[in-house]
Amino acid sequence: MTVEIRVPALGESVTEATVGQWFKSVGDAVEKDEPLLELETDKVTLEVNAAESGRLDEIIVAEGEDVEVGALLGHLAAGAGGAASKPAKEEPKEEPKEKSEPTAKASPEPEAEPEKPSSGSAAVDVLPAAQKLIDEKGLDAGQITGTGKDGRITKGDVLEALENGGKSAAASTPKEAPKPAAAEAPAAPSGLRAEEDREERVKMSRLRKSIAARLKDAQNTAAMLTTYNEVDMTAMLDLRSEYKDLFLKKHGVKLGFMSFFTKACVAALQETPAVNAEIDGDDLVYKNYYNMGIAVGTDSGLVVPVLRDADKLGFADVEKGIADLGKKARDGKLSMADMQGGTFTITNGGVYGSLMSSPILNPPQAGVLGMHKIQERPMVVKGEIKIRPMMYLALTYDHRIIDGKEAVTFLVRVKDALEDPQRLLLDL
């Protein structure tokens, strides 16, 4: 029986996706519910699983191609035929998982397969110019470390391997004496890469295009303004240090900074509701719920999963929720529901070492708080100079909705709550 593999429903307002990667090649055995491929949308990456056990019979849409909801992606041969072929396919089946190159076999260009085995490293991704040189020199691509995107081996990598003694595999061609001289010519100018390897053109992912469009739209549409303040982290660090072991023992999760900042923002939003509002046509919509977007950096780009009803969560629930969302983001497992409905966003550039920055709004939200690196600085405390762990805070807000008074009030309330964290516990 032949089973069609189609693009599933992608979520509200999402009609297109890009085929990111096929995990299986034509002829590979698959189990029911095993991932076959991943689809990249403008918000998340989704996996398409096998509806039945059997064998992947045909791949219709290659990696990098755009598809609409319901489009046919391939065919699966279900039943005894697929199951019977599974033992013979167990070894090759591991190659796509380790090297992420299933589409080499699924490609409509059969000539692409025989070229790589000639170097003895079929699973290594080698650029054409590099493959030609590897074949000429009789090298083993598996002995060369690629520096191109996703670990691809460039011609420069092959030349560098030759310079650094990577000629052991070339023993099979001892009579090619003139060729080492030819290899020295491009490597002569102080180790510069060959001209064709100096740049690499890669198609933007759908997520990256979406990020670019949304951020530019925010700049073009909102009247963005940023106000700054600084917070003395002494009291919060002391409180965290005192109770972190008990907190971990009782709740099974570490007491981090994000729970303090999330609760401080919720308290400040309750006092300044304009920061938790958005514009809808000619109306201002004030939200009486507090869904906190937590910006997470991933290999694919910046995503903002949403921690829902943060005002109803305790510190432990906030930490667990953020940890779960962060893991799902890094593993590419976020759902559309995880990304929707945020009313305010927190972004932490401090984890990368940023001392100060101006975050960009996450439309249609009216405010975003930027956290930064904690740095010890001399501060005047009651007439004396003290060394204090300080952090700069930045609130970017939409001036169409929020006046300067409300923005400054919000940031001061966040500062007060963090410098005296008992206020959060007493709801002050």
Side-chain angles (χ1 to χ4, degrees), residues 122-180:
V124 179
D125 199 352
V126 185
L127 294 179
Q131 185 65 56
K132 182 179 178 182
L133 188 56
I134 287 174
D135 292 339
E136 288 178 355
K137 301 302 176 184
L139 298 177
D140 180 2
Q143 301 294 322
I144 302 174
T145 301
T147 61
K149 184 172 180 62
D150 298 327
R152 294 172 184 153
I153 296 176
T154 67
K155 185 176 180 181
D157 296 326
V158 181
L159 295 174
E160 187 175 351
L162 288 171
E163 284 186 304
N164 295 335
K167 305 176 184 178
S168 55
S172 59
T173 57
K175 295 183 179 180
E176 294 183 312
K179 290 190 176 178

Side-chain angles (χ1 to χ4, degrees), residues 56-381:
L56 182 59
D57 212 27
E58 181 184 12
I59 291 177
I60 295 176
V61 183
E63 292 181 1
E65 293 189 21
D66 295 337
V67 290
E68 295 183 350
V69 172
L72 183 63
L73 298 168
H75 289 100
L76 181 70
S85 66
K86 182 179 177 182
K89 289 289 179 180
E90 279 184 356
E91 282 189 12
K93 191 174 155 187
E94 293 189 15
E95 284 188 12
K97 291 184 178 178
E98 294 177 2
K99 301 297 182 179
S100 299
E101 197 183 79
T103 52
K105 296 180 184 176
S107 170
E109 301 172 3
E111 297 84 6
E113 255 188 42
E115 287 181 7
K116 292 186 179 178
S118 64
S119 67
S121 302
V124 179
D125 199 352
V126 185
L127 294 179
Q131 185 65 56
K132 182 179 178 182
L133 188 56
I134 287 174
D135 292 339
E136 288 178 355
K137 301 302 176 184
L139 298 177
D140 180 2
Q143 301 294 322
I144 302 174
T145 301
T147 61
K149 184 172 180 62
D150 298 327
R152 294 172 184 153
I153 296 176
T154 67
K155 185 176 180 181
D157 296 326
V158 181
L159 295 174
E160 187 175 351
L162 288 171
E163 284 186 304
N164 295 335
K167 305 176 184 178
S168 55
S172 59
T173 57
K175 295 183 179 180
E176 294 183 312
K179 290 190 176 178
E184 290 172 8
S190 305
L192 293 177
R193 297 292 192 196
E195 190 63 31
E196 61 267 31
D197 296 331
R198 292 175 68 84
E199 293 182 350
E200 183 177 1
R201 186 178 294 271
V202 179
K203 184 179 178 181
M204 289 178 70
S205 68
R206 186 172 289 272
L207 176 60
R208 175 55 59 188
K209 286 190 287 187
S210 174
I211 292 171
R214 287 174 62 83
L215 293 182
K216 189 57 183 173
D217 181 63
Q219 286 185 320
N220 293 340
T221 304
M224 288 196 297
L225 190 62
T226 304
T227 184
Y228 303 91
N229 213 317
E230 59 182 352
V231 56
D232 185 343
M233 302 287 285
T234 302
M236 199 186 86
L237 290 174
D238 289 345
L239 183 65
R240 179 172 174 264
S241 177
E242 182 176 356
Y243 293 108
K244 64 179 182 180
D245 293 336
L246 286 174
F247 190 89
L248 177 61
K249 182 177 180 180
K250 179 174 181 179
H251 300 292
V253 64
K254 292 182 179 179
L255 179 60
F257 294 143
M258 290 306 300
S259 53
F260 287 94
F261 277 86
T262 299
K263 300 299 284 185
C265 285
V266 168
L269 290 171
Q270 290 172 334
E271 186 170 341
T272 54
V275 186
N276 202 47
E278 69 177 60
I279 292 178
D280 183 13
D282 293 331
D283 297 330
L284 288 177
V285 182
Y286 292 91
K287 311 293 180 66
N288 296 321
Y289 55 93
Y290 305 91
N291 292 347
M292 307 300 292
I294 308 296
V296 180
T298 71
D299 293 339
S300 302
L302 184 71
V303 294
V304 188
V306 176
L307 183 70
R308 300 185 181 282
D309 294 319
D311 56 316
K312 299 178 181 178
L313 303 178
F315 277 70
D317 293 326
V318 171
E319 292 291 353
K320 290 176 182 177
I322 292 176
D324 180 58
L325 291 172
K327 184 178 186 304
K328 289 169 70 175
R330 288 184 290 272
D331 293 343
K333 303 296 185 183
L334 287 173
S335 67
M336 298 299 295
D338 291 327
M339 304 285 288
Q340 297 173 341
T343 63
F344 185 82
T345 293
I346 302 175
T347 179
N348 185 5
V351 296
Y352 306 111
S354 173
L355 186 60
M356 180 180 285
S357 64
S358 300
I360 297 179
L361 289 174
N362 182 23
Q365 297 171 22
V368 53
L369 179 76
M371 299 166 54
H372 298 92
K373 176 183 177 181
I374 300 174
Q375 187 178 61
E376 289 190 339
R377 297 199 301 272
M379 303 295 294
V380 178
V381 181

